[in-house]
Amino acid sequence: ILNNLEKLNYIYDKDSKSLNLENNKLHTIYSLKTLRLEKLILKDSLSRSSELYHLRNMPLKHLDISHSEIKHLTQLVNLEIEELYLNRSKVDKISRLKHIPSLKKINIYGIAADLSVLKKCEKLEELICSPIQAQELQKSLDKRVKITVVTN
């Protein structure tokens, strides 16, 4: 990995096909592009939105890019994602989510984005958000969507 890190912290579980690279401050994830991961945790690790493109061939079901410097999701082309964690990231554009038909669970707590696209996520079952976001979305989301409010 071309990240100039003295040490790379990770947890890999081959049975669940998951890789946790949390808290690594990565500049690139290019070297991950050939992995067949279903779960990838990049919490507080990724700095550029363009890096999401390297995930395109992964059969990802779960992606955590919370607390990251990523600003938009335009390079996110993984249509199989069921769980997406954006909480406390710098993401300010989530319109790409309408092109992820399998999205069931999303954490948007603390992001400043137009949330109206979430009503187009037909399979959405659970939303984790702030009280203000919940108030904004409660009337527009399908009643079957469970809204979990986080207050801290």
Side-chain angles (χ1 to χ4, degrees):
I1 296 178
L2 304 170
N3 287 294
N4 297 323
L5 298 174
E6 288 183 26
K7 182 179 176 185
L8 179 66
N9 297 310
Y10 70 94
I11 299 170
Y12 176 68
D13 181 343
K14 80 174 182 178
D15 293 330
S16 67
K17 297 180 185 173
S18 68
L19 178 62
N20 184 335
L21 289 168
E22 188 173 334
N23 298 319
N24 276 297
K25 302 296 182 206
L26 303 172
H27 298 293
T28 184
I29 55 172
Y30 177 80
S31 58
L32 301 179
K33 73 180 194 167
T34 59
L35 298 178
R36 305 296 296 160
L37 298 172
E38 290 186 9
K39 181 176 183 177
L40 181 58
I41 300 171
L42 294 167
K43 181 179 178 179
D44 198 21
S45 292
L46 211 49
S47 60
R48 296 188 319 219
S49 300
S50 60
E51 288 300 309
L52 293 174
Y53 185 71
H54 299 304
L55 306 177
R56 70 188 177 280
N57 293 320
M58 285 186 194
L60 283 175
K61 300 279 184 212
H62 175 117
L63 178 61
D64 184 340
I65 52 175
S66 60
H67 299 263
S68 71
E69 298 296 317
I70 291 177
K71 289 187 161 271
H72 58 83
L73 303 174
T74 54
Q75 295 295 323
L76 185 62
V77 294
N78 303 70
L79 301 180
E80 306 87 14
I81 292 177
E82 294 177 1
E83 292 186 34
L84 182 60
Y85 294 81
L86 304 173
N87 44 305
R88 295 191 176 172
S89 67
K90 300 236 169 65
V91 170
D92 60 7
K93 292 181 185 143
I94 61 170
S95 58
R96 180 88 192 120
L97 297 179
K98 66 185 171 195
H99 300 292
I100 303 176
S102 56
L103 188 63
K104 293 180 181 175
K105 181 177 182 178
I106 187 166
N107 187 330
I108 57 166
Y109 178 80
I111 68 167
D114 177 3
L115 305 176
S116 62
V117 72
L118 292 174
K119 63 186 170 191
K120 295 180 181 175
C121 297
E122 295 177 4
K123 291 192 177 177
L124 192 63
E125 296 172 0
E126 186 175 357
L127 172 71
I128 302 164
C129 61
S130 71
I132 293 170
Q133 291 168 318
Q135 189 175 18
E136 178 185 338
L137 290 166
Q138 247 165 352
K139 292 177 184 168
S140 62
L141 287 179
D142 190 308
K143 300 287 184 232
R144 65 178 173 70
V145 176
K146 176 186 172 193
I147 298 176
T148 303
V149 176
V150 178
T151 56
N152 57 354

